[in-house]
Amino acid sequence: MRDGSLLPHDDDADIAYLSTFTQPADVAIEAFSVGNRLAELGYEVQRHSATHMQLLFRDEAEVVIHYIDVFAAFFTSDGHINQPFHVRGRMRVDQMLPFGTVSIEGAEFPAPADTDRWLTLNYDERWREPIPGFVLQTPDETRKLFDGWFGGFNFQREFWDERFISQRMSESEDTWKHGADWIAAQNLTSPTLLDLGSGSGGLSARLSSPRRRVIACDYSSEALYLARMSGLETSHVNLYRLNSLTAPRRLGIGTPFDVASNHLLEQVGHLGRANAFRLARMALRSGGSAVATAYANPAHDVNQLDPTTWHLDQSDLRAHAREFGLVVEFTDLDPGPHEEDRAPYGVVFTLNTHPYQRKDLSVKQRLRQLFLRARSRGNAAELDTLRERVSELETELTDIRRDNLRVAELIDLAEQALMPTEPSTGPQRPRTVRPGQEAE
């Protein structure tokens, strides 16, 4: 708007669409559908939250050369316009609609009806004058509100991507070798094994054999690329998302399977740890095993921005695992020279014979309607299994009716599992997703 041209220092393109919904859960459900459709069209989609995704574009060497951010925007009944993750402020609908146009480098693009109001909300009233060193700051209240509504699926992903790119994991594989040695010595005999937080696949390679299918699972695309280059089967699994629990079904696992994770539990944080416990529980119920390693003490140079320096106290792990019906047995491990003060340990999970007390909770009416529609289509047996699992998930979520993100994710999963979309008859773009890598 200032110069009729692109900002010379910008490094990406941002696209926002205006939703007609006003409730956060509905906006999130719609955003999941938008992402699913983009993935069907062949784009590589990386989700940062329910309402923020990136479309990644790679060169022939599979290096990201550019990306497009896609955001949802929506009005709420309190008279605010919202565009997570940054913008929230008072704006009338007639200041947004009908859209006008703005000319950039001679091309016409849609723009809010009142561009001054929109840019003032995005930046401040001084947007007309370039300010050297200007830093975009999101108010804490806005950030917390959007985090509560739409979550964060990208926690520390850039740290791991950069680590895998720059170090190619040679140092990291040596760092956690003692944990890998302990896992490799466990009695893991199921036909399939999921290596959660596999990194470049060192442990997966050790566990692979002609008699066992081992799948390297990680949320870093750079880690999965290195694992594939080693000839391993890979799967994108983001433990910060509820859809990580569809991995066994998505991967066609119909037999008992094992779950192993080498120093994942302390590095993933409590939000991702919950879904790791759920996958462990699924493995145990299938007739398989679940094992993990972790550090009991932090590194001497512990840093909030470096997950490799974090720790997980055994009492905390035991208490958190108990919430998911799991019992743990610990084994102290001999530390390597670089981890003498960190007290590494191994953990074997088993199912609790006295499960936690369930609460009588329900999801939104829309989910119940999906069940009824699915039953009418002859999916009764599969529906009963899903209903039991959803009921179990409900008991583990705090006040499910107010947890917009979890409701949206549950509905998105149910829609995909029970009401698959009809095959598209329109033109299809060539897929840009890496071989063997699922779009998020």
Side-chain angles (χ1 to χ4, degrees), residues 102-144:
V102 58
S103 178
I104 304 177
E105 306 287 0
E108 297 296 317
F109 292 90
D114 186 343
T115 54
D116 177 77
R117 181 57 183 163
W118 176 248
L119 291 171
T120 298
L121 289 175
N122 273 262
Y123 304 99
D124 57 36
E125 63 279 357
R126 301 171 297 168
W127 66 264
R128 295 177 183 82
E129 51 182 291
I131 302 174
F134 178 82
V135 176
L136 197 67
Q137 293 184 334
T138 305
D140 287 343
E141 182 180 354
T142 298
R143 178 182 53 79
K144 292 178 181 178

Side-chain angles (χ1 to χ4, degrees), residues 216-255:
C217 304
D218 208 292
Y219 84 148
S220 166
S221 59
E222 303 302 330
L224 295 178
Y225 170 74
L226 293 176
R228 284 196 302 276
M229 292 302 98
S230 298
L232 296 169
E233 181 181 357
T234 66
S235 178
H236 187 281
V237 175
N238 186 340
L239 293 173
Y240 303 111
R241 296 207 57 191
L242 201 60
N243 68 4
S244 62
L245 305 183
T246 67
R249 173 176 176 169
R250 175 167 49 81
L251 294 167
I253 300 174
T255 60

Side-chain angles (χ1 to χ4, degrees), residues 369-401:
Q369 292 174 348
L370 278 171
F371 287 161
L372 293 175
R373 290 168 60 194
R375 181 176 289 279
S376 68
R377 295 192 177 192
N379 295 334
E382 186 174 346
L383 175 62
D384 289 339
T385 299
L386 182 61
R387 186 194 302 277
E388 179 182 350
R389 294 295 180 258
V390 168
S391 177
E392 189 168 70
L393 287 172
E394 285 180 299
T395 67
E396 299 164 3
L397 301 173
T398 304
D399 199 354
I400 189 67
R401 289 187 180 276

Side-chain angles (χ1 to χ4, degrees), residues 103-382:
S103 178
I104 304 177
E105 306 287 0
E108 297 296 317
F109 292 90
D114 186 343
T115 54
D116 177 77
R117 181 57 183 163
W118 176 248
L119 291 171
T120 298
L121 289 175
N122 273 262
Y123 304 99
D124 57 36
E125 63 279 357
R126 301 171 297 168
W127 66 264
R128 295 177 183 82
E129 51 182 291
I131 302 174
F134 178 82
V135 176
L136 197 67
Q137 293 184 334
T138 305
D140 287 343
E141 182 180 354
T142 298
R143 178 182 53 79
K144 292 178 181 178
L145 182 66
F146 288 156
D147 284 349
W149 279 347
F150 304 119
F153 306 148
N154 203 48
F155 183 62
Q156 295 290 353
R157 177 154 39 190
E158 292 182 359
F159 171 90
W160 292 112
D161 281 347
E162 292 174 3
R163 184 179 178 90
F164 288 116
I165 291 173
S166 62
Q167 299 183 11
R168 297 303 181 188
M169 282 306 291
S170 57
E171 177 183 338
S172 297
E173 293 292 359
D174 291 340
T175 299
W176 300 310
K177 179 179 181 300
H178 288 72
D181 291 342
W182 181 82
I183 290 176
Q186 300 308 298
N187 186 30
L188 304 175
T189 59
S190 297
T192 304
L193 182 141
L194 300 183
D195 180 8
L196 297 182
S198 61
S200 57
L203 176 61
S204 297
R206 292 183 61 177
L207 297 174
S208 295
S209 74
R211 299 182 300 277
R212 176 165 55 194
R213 178 190 180 195
V214 174
I215 305 168
C217 304
D218 208 292
Y219 84 148
S220 166
S221 59
E222 303 302 330
L224 295 178
Y225 170 74
L226 293 176
R228 284 196 302 276
M229 292 302 98
S230 298
L232 296 169
E233 181 181 357
T234 66
S235 178
H236 187 281
V237 175
N238 186 340
L239 293 173
Y240 303 111
R241 296 207 57 191
L242 201 60
N243 68 4
S244 62
L245 305 183
T246 67
R249 173 176 176 169
R250 175 167 49 81
L251 294 167
I253 300 174
T255 60
F257 68 96
D258 299 327
V259 164
S261 62
N262 187 24
H263 289 287
L264 165 82
L265 296 180
E266 77 268 34
Q267 296 176 3
V268 77
H270 70 282
L271 294 177
R273 195 177 303 135
N275 283 334
F277 287 150
R278 291 182 175 115
L279 284 170
R281 185 176 63 196
M282 294 167 70
L284 293 169
R285 285 177 171 171
S286 77
S289 303
V291 298
T293 61
Y295 288 127
N297 297 330
H300 66 87
D301 57 348
V302 61
N303 186 332
Q304 184 179 1
L305 301 179
D306 184 351
T308 67
T309 66
W310 300 351
H311 76 293
L312 178 59
D313 183 85
Q314 292 183 5
S315 60
D316 291 338
L317 190 156
R318 187 189 302 277
H320 199 184
R322 188 185 301 119
E323 297 175 12
F324 299 91
L326 299 174
V327 176
V328 296
E329 179 181 345
F330 297 115
T331 299
D332 293 332
L333 305 183
D334 293 331
H338 58 283
E339 52 187 11
E340 291 181 354
D341 298 330
R342 304 204 60 187
Y345 63 89
V347 54
V348 175
F349 295 94
T350 55
L351 290 173
N352 191 346
T353 56
H354 302 285
Y356 49 83
Q357 185 67 33
R358 295 186 176 183
K359 298 178 182 179
D360 186 18
L361 298 176
S362 63
V363 188
K364 280 185 151 185
Q365 183 65 30
R366 181 174 175 182
L367 193 55
R368 290 196 292 269
Q369 292 174 348
L370 278 171
F371 287 161
L372 293 175
R373 290 168 60 194
R375 181 176 289 279
S376 68
R377 295 192 177 192
N379 295 334
E382 186 174 346

